[in-house]
Amino acid sequence: MKKHPFFSMAIMFLIGIVLYDNIALFLGTIQILIFSIVFIVAVLFLIISHKRRGNILPFVVIVLFIPFILGMFKIHVDTGFRNSYINKINNEDDVLLQGKIYKKEKKNMGYCYYLKDVYLNNVNLNNANLKNDNNSNSTVKRGSNNWHSNNRFTPKDSSDNLKHNCLQKHVNNSNDTNITKTNNIDTNVIKTNNVIAYFQTDECFMGEKILISGKIKLFEDARNEGNFDSKQFYFSQKIDYSIINSFIQKRTIKSNQYLEKLYNTKNKISNIYFLKLDEINAGTLSNMILGEKSNLDKGIKENYKKLGLSHILSISGMHVSFFGLGLYYWLRKLGITNKSSACLSIFSVISYGYLTGMSISSIRAIGMIILMIIANLIGRTYDTINSIGIMLIFLMWNNPFLYANSGFQMSFMAVFSIATLGKSLTYKLDKNKSKIIEKAHSNSQKPNAKKIFIINLKKKILVSFSIQIMILPIMLNSYFEISPYSFLVNLILLPLVEYIFVSGVAGGIIGLVLLSFSKAFLMPADIILSLYTLVCNCFVAFPYSTIITGEMSKMKTIVYYVVLLILYIIIKNYSKIEEDVEFINPKIKRLYLRKIVILSIILFSVALIRLPLGFEVDVLDVGQGDGIFISTSDNYKIFIDGGSTDEKEVGNYKMLPFLKSKGINKIDYWFISHGDADHISGFLEILEEGYRVKNLILSKTMPKDEAYKKIIKLAKEKNVNILYVEAKDELRLKEAKIKFLYPYSKNEYSKEEQEDRNLLSLCFVLKDKEFIGLFAGDLNGEKEGDLDVPNDIFFYKAIHHGSKFSNTSELLKKIKPSITCVSCGRNNRYGHPNKEAISRIKEECSNIFYTTKGGQIKIKKNKSSFVVKRKLSVIK
């Protein structure tokens, strides 16, 4: 950290932002204590790193304390601004909105316009208290991973149309082609952060200011653990809501023609790729070179993600560096003056950034390239660490919420690892390389190509390794899995990216002038991308191509980076010894090696080893359907049903991410109550994905219809053991016991009844120590009286999503559950849960939880009681 004041300022600025944005979860003394500890530790570490002696007060005040205060101030102001309006707007509100287009994206079903300088008109602002339960939050904080409304229980403890006169009058009567804030303002017009507006056609230009009407669609918190959190994702980019059913009321003539030409050039180059390459390679190349994601093949995307190659697909600092620095050094080799080369390169790299959408990593890379070129231009030494600090401050001053963005985290962590850990690991190799080159030049010879190649290969391995271990927690918290082959695959394929880039850019530019010649220039990229696909397919087919690790907790992440910091200090000290001493004592060398090995083992143990989950019940929010996960006290993993009729690909997007986030790599017993889509669609998707299910439990009398045949066929293909059960059968685990209550043998039902899926739903009681739960699928109310159920039920999953003709008083009076969970979709067409059914349940159970209101519902054992938690906060 010595002589890196801008980096130290950036660290303290970041600490101020993160602490202020998260410590609000604590109150009073704890808050002050955490603030003090973190600040003191950070200040002491940076003072020691800078090796300050004498009067350190100016350094502490200017470099450390002021940035820390500024960070807290910035996040306070920006959070307050967001809170001033976000709680006053609702889903489906009709609005008029004015904004300036700063980015456009083509989507499968239309186009996205990203708008800034936004002014919103909404007559419902005075009705802020009418906010829908599913989107209401008393404050806007990044807290989607927190659980709310904890309730403790012991067993059996009963404890439109928009009135926009002013704006509409302006739209209809104004002859002014320029839309301004003053023209459009009335008592309900407010300024907001950025917005996404969805259109079916692309009619407007980049930089154009537009006035649109439409409906507000708010971003949602993740409703289950491990699910995509659209609210956090967009909030971290300062995009606060979206507009659907958009209609353009008015446009300005003025636009940014240069940005529009870049956007059109991007589309033209993408079309060239699709004309000259096969569809899969063209989609991949468009994504890699142009940032065009809409045409990327889903299978390719999934394979790249599994093998840790996602960074190759996205427009990252690596791509921008190839373009910017490559062009700069190429121009210098052509004999163009340093100043002219610098100006052309800076202009070109900024243009490329806008052409590809100006992602966070692109902005970071562009800024660092500009700083590097300027340093070279004025004859100063370029400092990578200080450049990282400058860009960190620049980006976070514009948007302090970026710290929660995984792309931001990975971009800065990757380049920081290269400048620190990577540099220390490769120091000796650089020294040896310099010696070889100097010796060859002194003898008027060329350096030994073989030795140089081996040194460069070793450097790539070590730098790649340093990046991988630096971003490992971020990767695990984003994807919940890792490939043991990731490092090897990156080592094989990463060096070829520059050739794809050069070929793709050259082929695209040539194609704009002479389309017939572009094929020849695109051929190297085509061949390499086909090789990529072949290599990925091979490695994905290998055993254990991915290992599910689960999400790392905040505490584990902190411990990981503390251990990594200690490891870096030891490696750096060893490199310094190698620099200062010609010959190192073997004992000292062994001591350092022992420390490095021990710390490396601790590092990977922290990241990859998980403690047993213990007892837990999770009623997932799968929309209109059922999906229940149970981890028994003896760590058997059970899943009950799993499907939805209103959530597309519920298995891939809701259930599987949940299981991966918990670090669960297999299900021991999967129970299917019956064959309706809202109980099996997700299960089938998960099987098709290759997720391991050891045993499938089905009723012997389950109707042998198409759904049944599909389940059996797929289960056999995936080597799932199928067990058939009926009433009075039992499944005994170590601690837990499952008793099947229904249905009885087939001959007890009429022919018509034998074809009724709901009537023959599999019903059972699961007992695990104090926990006793009843699960009865979609059983008909007329058959609920046939259940030989114990009268001490603690947990009851409302039958048939709380339908009117299930959940009979006869059953409820008998079981008197302590907790009832209702799983159904919001605003579903069936009217679930029915008011009469809920009324009957309330007569016997006062503790009812709904996935529609609270999202995922979790039950954990806590000493002598059970704790029920809802994923989302609910304001009643």
Side-chain angles (χ1 to χ4, degrees), residues 13-14 16-18 20-22 71-86 139-143 192-194 231-240 360 392-409:
F13 185 74
L14 178 61
I17 288 172
V18 175
Y20 190 88
D21 199 34
N22 288 276
M72 291 194 295
F73 171 77
K74 182 61 179 171
I75 191 69
H76 170 75
V77 170
D78 283 34
T79 300
F81 175 69
R82 176 177 281 163
N83 285 340
S84 67
Y85 61 84
I86 199 68
T139 57
V140 178
K141 282 286 180 183
R142 189 182 67 85
T192 75
N193 284 330
N194 301 343
K231 185 175 181 180
Q232 179 177 312
F233 176 75
Y234 286 108
F235 271 27
S236 71
Q237 300 176 63
K238 251 188 178 177
I239 299 170
D240 286 357
I360 296 165
L392 191 66
I393 293 171
F394 172 78
L395 282 167
M396 296 207 66
W397 184 260
N398 284 295
N399 179 11
F401 305 107
L402 269 178
Y403 80 89
N405 186 284
S406 59
F408 171 85
Q409 295 167 3

Side-chain angles (χ1 to χ4, degrees), residues 68 72 85 98 178 240 267 323 344 374 454 499 522 535 639 743 784 786 831 873:
F68 180 78
M72 291 194 295
Y85 61 84
Q98 172 189 296
N178 211 10
D240 286 357
N267 291 333
F323 187 82
L344 283 170
I374 291 173
I454 292 172
Y499 301 105
L522 290 171
V535 171
F639 214 104
E784 289 179 8
D786 294 347
S873 60

